[in-house]
């Protein structure tokens, strides 16, 4: 930090700018980049930390603190700033009053629910009346991709048939999570075209998710609201492995594998 | 970031995208036909379209028996949305292009513009046409004459023509909701439902008067919707008359039945005195509606794929004794088992129409709710179930407390004080359900409280469509019900007090600073 007393921008304004900047940064990051509105309660919590941190940095040195407090003191004490003072003295109480009033009104905004989309999978899980070990589970058909491309193509096609008969209603026939019934479901079905879903996952994870569905999720992923069906009730193990081949093939993505880690 | 906000994600982005899309479409105007290459189109078709339309274009893809309307059989040559003369079934390339680009709302046919390029789509047009051997463009186009813009007068004329001799009413019903007087079939023998003209977002084309004009002029190929430009038709309409009818049909849109993804809360206001005793009570007109999509039950055994009901609109009110919920949904058929005329419209066997409300027995104070499908072992739900009755038996309201679909306890609705009253009129059911705020069985019934967000879900049955019954129904996932307490003057008073305190503090500070300086 330099110690030149004359600055282009007064310290107080600098601080205000940093805080406002971070605030909009959050909104931008969530709403535009992640594509979801940031929950109000979460934003408030983040901002409390940010404000505390920024104030600490700006008042770290004695001089810094004085420079910061200077304009505020001047506003109250300097007779030449009377006009400004009157304005501030009207606005601040009004804002405080309004804030109190509006926070006491009951909010009709639906409660925000947070859930983990990709929870840590269990090491072992039960399906089809047997136990699977997720750390060693592999897609038995993956090997044909190299060994027998013609056979692989056939398997993908069979997976596609399973998909279109069972999954497209929700995940969409473009695999973009926008099936005909997607907008009637909350949470919405996942978009497999997105780099944040199957491209990040191993085939064994998908097998676990598909076989056990929404109810198979751990509590942090809110299993009670997921409409993802329990596919072991409808599909065979084979069909699940084939539909997994199709998901990767159609989207042109590769599953993550142990080999790369 | 793993944590995600549920539900209406992306609302803001979506609107922005929609806006840009709309302006793009506006700027682009109608799609201009560009020559596509059928061979290139085939490659794309084989990857993306065969699943539904079949490798041979005959509509026999794997999905076929689980979709209604079924995927189009292109070898039939029938195109629903076209702008060529009624006598010439050949569509314009633009017509096909538009459906590929935008998709067909209310069906499994999506729009492809987000993953295919414009050239890809023209190539597909060229390929798809080959299945019916369409080589030449249509010889004649729909004659639009001069468009008559919409006005009260034109709409009035259109209404008369719509109703005259049951011209459109025969199939679309007096209110336009599609309560047909007969069963209708499509080209593949599938059941077709006449469009609910009050829900323009379900039109395959659009409800722009020019689009409606085209549909009335050409009819809808492969369905029983006829052409009204055909001079041989007894119900023929002149060009001018068709514009009036189009304006009237466009004016039928009912926007309170459109889903607003941002509105997920049924808000119940408190009333002084008695609650409305009937579904038609005037006060419902002043109560804010919330509309939800109904999706078919494709989650648990036995799954159900071909629904007819698509949305449900809910209103609620309460007083110091009870809560009342008005459930309203468009259902083209009143299904009364035992009634002959109802039986003729229904798929056999006809079942009762029905609706249900699901609520948690214990209002959750944390995030965890009961499983949305009938609760779970640790978190039971109440289900209020209304059924429309048969020719010989009146409507019923029943109550169950369930912990999942295997553990169901039948309860006595009367004892709890749960009642239901219904009314059906020209394509719309309204069912009023009332229950006391508190009941005696606190471990088995929800006890309503003010000011808390209460999870709520709905289900509906159309007994004339594929004999909907039991697990064959449409449903929603969890949304919210809120009994809004009357707020009174407390927030205002506190707000004023706080403002006064702040002002006092500031003045005191200024004064003491002033005296120090002096």
């Amino acid at each position: 930090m330099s110690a030149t007393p004359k600055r282009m921008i007064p310290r107080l304004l600098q601080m205000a700018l940093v805080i406002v900047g971070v605030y909009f940064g959050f909104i931008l990051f969530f709403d535009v980049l992640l594509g979801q509105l940031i929950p109000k309660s979460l934003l408030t919590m983040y901002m409390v930390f940010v404000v505390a941190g920024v104030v600490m940095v700006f008042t770290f040195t004695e001089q810094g603190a004085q420079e910061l407090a200077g304009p505020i003191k001047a506003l109250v004490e300097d007779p030449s700033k009377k006009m400004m003072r009157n304005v501030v003295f009207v606005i601040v109480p009004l804002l405080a009053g309004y804030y109190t009033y509006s926070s006491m009104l009951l909010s009709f905004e639906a409660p925000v629910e947070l859930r983990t989309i990709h929870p840590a999978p269990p090491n072992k899980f039960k399906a089809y009346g047997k136990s699977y070990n997720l750390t060693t589970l592999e897609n038995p058909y993956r090997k044909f991709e190299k060994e027998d491309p013609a056979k692989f193509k056939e398997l993908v096609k069979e997976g596609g048939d399973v998909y279109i008969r069972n999954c497209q209603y929700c995940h969409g026939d473009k695999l973009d999570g926008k099936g005909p019934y997607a907008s009637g479901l909350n949470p919405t079905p996942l978009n497999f075209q997105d780099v944040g879903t199957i491209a990040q996952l191993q085939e064994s994870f998908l097998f676990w998710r598909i076989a056990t569905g929404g109810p198979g999720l751990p509590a942090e992923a809110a299993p009670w609201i997921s409409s993802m069906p329990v596919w072991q009730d409808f599909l065979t193990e084979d069909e699940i492995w084939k539909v997994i081949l199709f998901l990767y093939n159609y989207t042109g993505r590769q599953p993550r594998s142990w080999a790369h880690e | 970031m793993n944590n995600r906000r549920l539900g209406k994600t992306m609302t803001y982005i979506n609107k922005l995208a929609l806006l840009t899309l709309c302006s793009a479409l506006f700027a682009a105007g109608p799609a201009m036909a560009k020559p596509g290459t059928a061979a290139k189109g085939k490659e794309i078709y084989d990857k993306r379209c065969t699943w539904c339309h079949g490798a041979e274009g005959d509509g026999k893809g794997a999905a076929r028996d689980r979709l209604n309307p079924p995927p189009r059989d292109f070898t039939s040559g029938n195109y629903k949305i076209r702008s060529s003369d009624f006598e010439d079934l050949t569509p314009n390339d633009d017509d096909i292009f538009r459906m590929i680009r935008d998709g067909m709302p209310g069906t499994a046919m999506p729009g492809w513009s987000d993953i295919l390029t414009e050239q890809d789509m023209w190539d597909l047009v060229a390929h798809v046409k080959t299945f019916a051997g369409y080589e030449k463009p249509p010889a004649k186009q729909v004659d639009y004459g001069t468009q008559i813009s919409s006005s009260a007068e034109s709409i009035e004329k259109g209404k008369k023509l719509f109703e005259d001799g049951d011209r459109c009413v025969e199939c679309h019903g007096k209110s336009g909701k599609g309560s047909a007087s007969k069963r209708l079939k499509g080209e593949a023998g599938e059941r077709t439902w006449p469009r609910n003209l009050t829900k323009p977002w379900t039109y395959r084309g659009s409800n722009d008067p020019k689009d409606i004009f085209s549909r009335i002029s050409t009819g809808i190929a492969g369905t029983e919707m006829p052409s009204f430009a055909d001079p041989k038709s007894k119900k023929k309409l002149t060009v001018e008359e068709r514009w009036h009818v189009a304006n009237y049909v466009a004016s039928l849109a009912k926007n309170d039945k459109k889903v607003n993804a941002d509105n997920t809360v049924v808000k119940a206001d408190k009333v002084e005195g008695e609650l409305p005793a009937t579904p038609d009570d005037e006060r419902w007109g002043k109560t804010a509606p919330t509309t939800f999509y109904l999706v078919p039950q494709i989650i648990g055994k036995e799954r159900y794929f071909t629904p007819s009901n698509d949305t449900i609109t809910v209103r609620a009110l309460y007083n110091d004794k009870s809560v009342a919920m008005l459930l309203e949904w468009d259902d083209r058929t009143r299904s009364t088992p035992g009634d002959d005329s109802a039986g003729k419209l229904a798929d056999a066997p006809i079942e009762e129409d029905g609706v249900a409300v699901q609520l948690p027995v214990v209002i959750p104070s944390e995030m965890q709710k009961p499983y949305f499908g009938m609760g779970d072992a640790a978190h039971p739900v109440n289900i209020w179930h209304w059924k429309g009755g048969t020719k010989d038996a009146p409507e019923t309201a029943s109550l169950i407390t369930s912990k999942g679909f295997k553990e169901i306890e039948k309860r006595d609705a009367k004892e709890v004080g749960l009642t239901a009253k219904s009314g059906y009129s020209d394509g719309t059911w309204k069912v009023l359900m009332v229950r006391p705020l508190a009941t005696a069985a606190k471990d088995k019934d929800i006890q309503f409280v003010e000011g808390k967000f209460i999870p709520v879900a709905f289900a509906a049955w159309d007994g004339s469509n594929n004999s909907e019954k039991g697990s064959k129904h449409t449903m929603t996932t969890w949304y919210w019900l809120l009994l809004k307490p009357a707020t009174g003057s407390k927030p205002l008073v506190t707000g004023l007090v706080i403002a006064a305190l702040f002002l006092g503090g500031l003045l005191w500070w200024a004064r003491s600073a002033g005296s120090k300086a002096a």
Side-chain angles (χ1 to χ4, degrees):
Chain A
M1 248 181 244
S2 83
T4 36
K6 280 264 177 236
R7 288 169 199 277
M8 293 290 285
I9 310 175
R11 289 278 280 185
L12 187 61
L13 190 59
Q14 271 184 20
M15 189 174 89
L17 283 178
V18 170
I19 292 172
V20 172
V22 173
Y23 176 79
F24 281 108
F26 275 133
I27 293 188
L28 199 75
F29 179 70
F30 274 85
D31 291 10
V32 179
L33 292 182
L34 294 186
Q36 51 199 314
L37 299 176
I38 177 168
K40 217 166 148 192
S41 53
L42 198 66
L43 186 63
T44 314
M45 197 177 78
Y46 286 170
M47 285 315 293
V48 167
F49 288 123
V50 168
V51 170
V54 172
V55 169
M56 250 162 70
V57 169
F58 272 77
T59 57
F60 196 65
T61 61
E62 179 90 359
Q63 194 209 358
Q66 269 170 17
E67 263 184 65
L68 203 63
I72 300 178
K73 268 176 98 173
L75 180 74
V76 178
E77 291 170 5
D78 186 344
S80 69
K81 297 226 164 92
K82 192 158 177 214
M83 189 56 204
M84 180 81 160
R85 177 161 64 223
N86 288 346
V87 171
V88 170
F89 278 22
V90 172
I91 290 177
V92 169
L94 277 183
L95 280 181
Y98 178 72
Y99 181 77
T100 316
Y101 167 73
S102 59
S103 59
M104 279 184 72
L105 285 182
L106 190 66
S107 159
F108 298 129
E109 223 182 291
V112 171
E113 297 170 290
L114 296 170
R115 65 180 281 268
T116 308
I117 293 188
H118 296 132
N123 285 333
K124 286 201 178 100
F125 73 96
K126 278 216 174 75
Y128 299 105
K130 52 186 169 180
S131 177
Y132 292 85
N133 184 341
L134 263 182
T135 52
T136 55
L137 189 62
E138 277 178 26
N139 191 338
Y141 296 123
R142 178 61 60 188
K143 60 175 189 268
F144 294 114
E145 193 171 10
K146 289 207 188 84
E147 289 172 12
D148 188 348
K151 176 164 180 169
F152 188 73
K153 210 172 149 199
E154 197 44 45
L155 291 166
V156 168
K157 160 94 178 63
E158 286 168 32
D161 286 348
V162 172
Y163 184 86
I164 214 75
R165 286 179 62 75
N166 296 285
C167 321
Q168 67 91 11
Y169 311 95
C170 298
H171 293 285
D173 54 354
K174 292 180 285 179
L175 278 63
D176 56 2
K178 296 197 191 119
Y181 301 125
S183 39
L185 300 169
N186 179 358
T188 44
L190 286 174
N191 170 355
F192 302 132
Q193 300 277 7
D194 190 291
V195 288
T197 62
I198 58 171
Q200 302 285 330
L201 303 171
Q202 293 168 349
E203 292 186 286
S204 57
F205 184 96
L206 261 65
F207 184 86
W208 163 60
R209 282 307 324 273
I210 298 168
T212 65
L217 286 165
E220 75 256 32
W224 49 88
I225 49 175
S226 168
S227 57
M228 170 73 175
V230 180
W231 288 105
Q232 60 173 318
D233 294 348
F234 303 105
L235 302 176
T236 64
E237 261 181 281
D238 255 12
E239 285 172 320
I240 294 186
W241 287 123
K242 286 181 203 163
V243 83
I244 292 174
L245 293 185
F246 173 77
L247 295 185
Y248 285 104
N249 184 271
Y250 193 92
T251 55
R253 306 214 178 273
Q254 283 299 319
R256 263 173 70 170
S257 68
W258 293 112
H260 296 293
E261 274 155 43
Chain B
M1 206 63 210
N2 255 340
N3 290 334
R4 271 216 173 188
R5 184 179 186 196
L6 295 182
K8 41 179 180 171
T9 51
M10 297 234 304
T11 37
Y12 170 71
I13 294 225
N14 273 345
K15 274 179 206 144
L16 213 73
L18 198 71
L19 214 69
T20 19
L21 185 77
C22 289
S23 42
L25 286 181
F26 199 68
M32 293 296 286
K34 279 188 216 155
T37 320
K40 282 205 192 120
K42 182 173 187 319
E43 259 171 52
I44 307 167
Y45 182 94
D46 287 346
K47 169 156 174 141
R48 313 232 180 235
C49 319
T50 48
W51 311 108
C52 293
H53 293 289
E56 312 300 325
D58 53 6
K60 298 212 175 100
R64 179 178 179 77
D65 58 328
R66 288 186 178 170
L67 298 176
N68 190 9
R72 184 65 41 77
D73 168 3
F74 295 128
T75 62
S76 73
N78 286 330
Y79 286 83
K80 284 189 176 174
I81 304 302
R82 64 190 174 87
S83 52
S84 47
D85 188 71
F86 75 92
E87 278 183 314
D88 190 345
L89 280 179
T90 318
N92 286 298
D93 285 5
D94 280 0
D95 298 334
I96 308 180
F97 180 84
R98 176 179 159 204
M99 287 302 109
I100 297 177
R101 181 188 65 195
D102 300 346
M104 302 178 83
T107 79
M109 172 71 192
W112 292 89
S113 59
D114 53 350
I115 63 170
L116 296 179
T117 67
E118 201 152 300
Q119 190 56 52
D120 286 345
M121 294 188 282
W122 285 119
D123 293 341
L124 281 167
V125 170
H127 178 60
V128 164
K129 280 198 303 179
T130 61
F131 291 121
Y134 286 138
E135 279 161 13
K136 290 200 204 89
K140 258 173 85 188
Q141 303 292 338
V142 169
D143 173 12
Y144 292 97
T146 357
Q147 175 160 5
I148 297 170
S149 48
S150 187
S151 65
E153 198 192 337
S154 166
I155 290 174
E156 191 50 42
K157 281 185 190 159
K159 181 172 157 58
K160 281 220 182 69
L161 295 162
F162 188 92
E163 292 170 359
D164 190 27
D166 275 356
R167 184 179 275 113
C168 313
V169 171
E170 180 193 5
C171 295
H172 292 285
K174 194 148 195 244
S175 59
K177 287 177 199 145
S179 48
S181 54
K182 57 182 186 187
R183 277 180 70 105
L184 300 172
K185 269 199 196 140
E187 59 173 358
E190 81 280 10
R191 173 126 213 208
T192 51
W193 295 105
R195 196 79 66 248
N196 180 339
L197 299 174
T198 67
K199 293 182 170 177
W201 53 92
T202 64
Y203 286 27
R204 308 290 184 260
S206 83
N207 82 325
D208 183 272
K210 189 167 177 195
D211 242 322
I212 300 173
F213 184 100
S214 313
R215 298 304 86 72
I216 314 175
S217 304
T218 62
I220 298 186
T223 78
E224 292 185 47
M225 163 90 182
S227 158
F228 291 90
D230 185 346
K232 290 194 288 287
S233 161
K234 275 192 229 140
K235 297 181 175 175
K236 173 186 186 307
L237 294 164
T238 64
V239 170
E240 191 193 319
E241 287 172 332
R242 269 177 271 148
W243 280 117
H244 294 316
V245 173
N247 289 335
Y248 172 64
V249 170
S251 77
L252 290 173
K254 275 231 172 30
N255 284 315
D256 61 336
K257 288 198 177 160
K258 183 167 182 151
V259 176
N260 168 2
D262 288 337
N263 185 7
T264 55
V265 184
V266 178
K267 298 175 198 87
D269 276 313
K270 187 160 190 177
V271 296
E272 296 302 327
E274 293 302 308
L275 288 169
T278 64
D280 289 319
D281 190 291
E282 280 178 354
R283 279 174 289 171
W284 291 120
K286 293 181 212 123
T287 310
T290 308
T291 297
F292 305 109
Y293 285 115
L294 286 169
V295 304
Q297 195 290 100
I298 51 173
I299 297 154
K301 279 182 180 164
E302 149 207 358
R303 289 181 294 163
Y304 176 56
F305 295 94
T306 47
S308 53
N309 294 331
D310 57 1
T311 60
I312 185 164
T313 302
V314 187
R315 293 173 172 84
L317 290 169
Y318 75 106
N319 62 11
D320 46 17
K321 289 194 212 73
S322 301
V323 56
M325 259 194 253
L326 181 71
L327 309 158
E328 177 180 346
W329 72 102
D330 289 355
D331 175 341
R332 296 176 181 87
T333 46
R334 177 177 192 157
S335 317
T336 313
D339 179 287
D340 280 348
S341 57
K344 275 187 197 127
L345 289 176
D347 301 332
I350 185 172
E351 299 288 345
E352 290 169 76
D353 285 337
V355 76
V357 178
Q358 176 178 285
L359 293 151
V361 169
V362 180
I363 300 174
S365 52
E366 310 240 317
M367 203 176 95
Q368 179 150 15
K369 300 173 192 168
Y371 184 58
F372 72 93
M374 297 182 78
D376 54 70
H379 307 88
V381 295
N382 281 156
I383 295 177
W384 308 349
H385 191 168
W386 167 88
K387 283 188 186 167
T390 65
K391 191 161 173 253
D392 309 312
E395 60 185 348
T396 54
S398 59
L399 170 66
I400 61 169
T401 301
S402 80
K403 301 177 168 177
F405 69 95
K406 282 188 193 132
E407 211 183 321
I408 295 172
E409 184 191 347
K410 290 207 170 106
R411 310 273 311 287
D412 186 344
K414 276 215 190 72
E415 202 176 275
V416 176
L418 174 70
T419 61
K421 254 195 210 113
S422 71
Y424 182 84
S425 146
D426 197 14
T428 301
W429 271 115
K430 284 186 184 171
V431 174
L432 170 62
M433 294 187 113
V434 182
R435 210 211 73 174
L437 294 176
T439 68
K442 307 224 176 312
D443 55 331
K444 286 183 184 167
D445 289 311
I446 179 170
Q447 310 296 309
F448 288 98
V449 281
E450 287 182 333
K452 267 199 185 172
F453 281 90
I454 305 170
V456 66
F458 306 93
W461 288 258
D462 175 359
S464 296
N465 183 40
N466 297 308
S467 316
E468 289 185 13
K469 187 191 182 181
S471 75
K472 278 167 82 175
H473 62 78
T474 48
M475 58 182 283
T476 74
T477 50
W478 285 124
Y479 292 100
W480 303 102
L481 168 68
L482 178 69
L483 310 193
K484 283 162 68 176
T487 38
S489 57
K490 211 166 135 200
L492 189 65
V493 172
T494 325
L496 287 175
V497 169
I498 294 284
L501 281 177
F502 259 77
L503 186 65
L506 286 172
L507 286 176
W508 176 78
W509 183 16
R511 276 195 88 175
S512 61
S515 63
K516 228 186 277 161

